Amino acid sequence: MKFLAITLITDSVDPVTGAPTPTRERFREVVDAALLAEELGFDGFGVGERHERPFLSSSPPVVLGHIAALTRRIRLFTAVTTLSLLDPVRAYEDYATLDHLSDGRLELMIGKGNGTAQRELFHVTPEDQWERNAEGYELFRRIWREDRVSAEPRFRPPLAGAEVLPRPFQPELRVWHGSATSRESVELAARYGDPLFSANVTHPIGPYAELVRHYRERWAHHGHDPAHAVVGAGTAGYHAAPTSQGAVAAYRPAFARYLHFHALQGVPPVFPTLEDFVERSSALIGSPQQVIEKVHRYHEAFGHTALHLQAEPGGLAPAEHRASLELFQSRIAPVLRREIPDPAFPPSPAREGR
């Protein structure tokens, strides 16, 4: 099993004083989280993309480009690139550039994104967002693979033998399709033989497991070898401690932030109590053995071989969060790597290949 640390770069306040965290400081916190993830041995670090409050993650290529300059091994992910909102030509230029700057450590997760405010910002409607996502990916994929492209897309001007530069460092880019509630992303992933990453963060396991089953069915329908389907899954939260009681007690401030976030959005929380959150959500909160057992239970439903954890403290004290991530890498990850087959992330191309 492989492990990613992911952040959506939410705007935040100081957990003690309640004062807003300066934006510059938030970005420095994200960079520090990436450096810690590489130091501790995570396989990947992911930055989300959102274009509305309370997120500051509107430009993942810039953030990941800075992280690329400070790291050497860890793979760099988006989570997710909102192709329904973007010009695929411009998105290609950004990510092909990042591919070179990172020495081929780039992987994308794509998806339509969500949120009314960001749809309105980009003049995207609920009716056309899925068509935009599919068209954007198909064109992005062609540009990555072809030196010149001719196309007459619906949502951007036509291309006539267009040469888009720079050409990428990786001839084949692995693209994951982020899926939360809809079958459109699942179908797109299965059609192209791409891996699927289930969000698995908002609801109990049922609807996510159903989408993963549908993905595997459509994968086979499109003629792909079932043995080659790759699935990742998210977690709603993470904190491990030597005892389950200590882990749950330490996580209470983070759960309070979860409730506060839902109150700000004006929607009731799916999991109203911490005890319910620990039991029914995908959160991994407990002793190392409890975390291992829960991942195995979810693996029975998903068959997933990649897992993401929250990269940032999210209401925990930074020292607590670091200790929890260290415990994950020392006591949890080695067991899961051994017991759950590896999805064989592609190696970064050699520097000599540039």
Side-chain angles (χ1 to χ4, degrees):
M1 180 168 262
K2 297 290 188 182
F3 304 103
L4 285 61
I6 285 182
T7 177
L8 298 181
I9 320 184
T10 54
D11 203 358
S12 66
V13 298
D14 186 285
V16 177
T17 67
T21 303
T23 299
R24 179 176 179 273
E25 184 175 331
R26 277 296 293 125
F27 284 123
R28 296 190 73 85
E29 289 173 350
V30 169
V31 172
D32 288 344
L35 296 176
L36 178 61
E38 176 161 273
E39 175 190 337
L40 295 180
F42 280 85
D43 301 287
F45 186 83
V47 172
E49 181 181 332
R50 297 290 189 276
H51 299 271
E52 59 188 334
R53 289 185 180 274
F55 304 103
L56 303 174
S57 50
S58 59
S59 188
V62 175
V63 177
L64 290 172
H66 186 67
I67 291 170
L70 300 175
T71 56
R72 290 294 176 265
R73 178 198 56 80
I74 199 165
R75 296 190 70 79
L76 306 176
F77 286 74
T78 58
V80 298
T81 296
T82 54
L83 276 181
S84 63
L85 308 179
L86 306 178
D87 179 344
V89 175
R90 186 69 182 117
Y92 165 83
E93 292 173 333
D94 284 342
Y95 287 112
T97 300
L98 177 55
D99 193 34
H100 283 276
L101 293 174
S102 66
D103 292 327
R105 288 183 283 142
L106 175 67
E107 297 197 31
L108 296 187
M109 293 185 202
I110 68 162
K112 73 168 182 66
N114 54 26
T116 301
Q118 66 179 15
R119 281 202 311 267
E120 293 177 349
L121 185 65
F122 288 89
H123 297 278
V124 174
T125 70
E127 292 75 27
D128 68 21
Q129 59 187 347
W130 286 113
E131 293 178 58
R132 287 177 179 272
N133 186 62
E135 179 183 283
Y137 177 54
E138 289 159 5
L139 189 52
F140 180 96
R141 180 185 175 93
R142 284 192 60 196
I143 296 170
W144 197 278
R145 287 163 171 77
E146 301 174 24
D147 290 338
R148 292 186 179 274
V149 174
S150 296
E152 294 189 3
R154 177 183 171 193
F155 298 107
R156 62 146 288 130
L159 300 174
E163 180 183 34
V164 189
L165 300 174
R167 300 312 302 149
F169 186 48
Q170 299 178 87
E172 295 287 333
L173 176 70
R174 182 145 84 161
V175 178
W176 302 69
H177 295 249
S179 169
T181 59
S182 64
R183 293 192 171 194
E184 285 87 349
S185 289
V186 168
E187 174 63 28
L188 198 62
R191 184 193 317 165
Y192 284 105
D194 293 332
L196 181 75
F197 214 104
S198 172
N200 192 38
V201 297
T202 306
H203 301 284
I205 190 173
Y208 302 113
E210 173 58 33
L211 282 175
V212 171
R213 285 193 293 270
H214 182 66
Y215 165 69
R216 295 186 186 279
E217 292 169 1
R218 298 303 296 169
W219 177 278
H221 170 82
H222 287 290
H224 305 301
D225 185 342
H228 294 162
V230 175
V231 174
T235 54
Y238 164 73
H239 187 65
T243 68
S244 60
Q245 296 89 344
V248 172
Y251 198 78
R252 286 195 181 278
F255 185 73
R257 290 185 64 166
Y258 164 85
L259 294 179
H260 180 64
F261 178 82
H262 280 77
L264 291 176
Q265 302 299 309
V267 295
V270 176
F271 309 101
T273 68
L274 176 56
E275 291 70 25
D276 187 40
F277 185 71
V278 171
E279 176 64 27
R280 293 196 304 123
S281 83
S282 60
L284 302 174
I285 302 168
S287 67
Q289 187 57 38
Q290 286 174 316
V291 170
I292 290 167
E293 291 172 357
K294 190 168 187 179
V295 172
H296 272 289
R297 289 200 303 274
Y298 276 56
H299 181 260
E300 290 176 2
F302 291 146
H304 62 304
T305 49
L307 178 75
H308 85 51
L309 302 180
Q310 281 64 41
E312 299 188 89
L316 295 167
E320 283 182 319
H321 181 61
R322 179 182 179 117
S324 179
L325 293 180
E326 290 174 343
L327 190 61
F328 184 89
Q329 289 294 353
S330 64
R331 298 273 304 280
I332 298 169
V335 176
L336 294 174
R337 290 187 195 278
R338 182 174 66 250
E339 295 178 349
I340 296 177
D342 191 321
F345 277 22
S348 297
R351 286 176 177 269
E352 291 76 16
R354 288 184 293 176

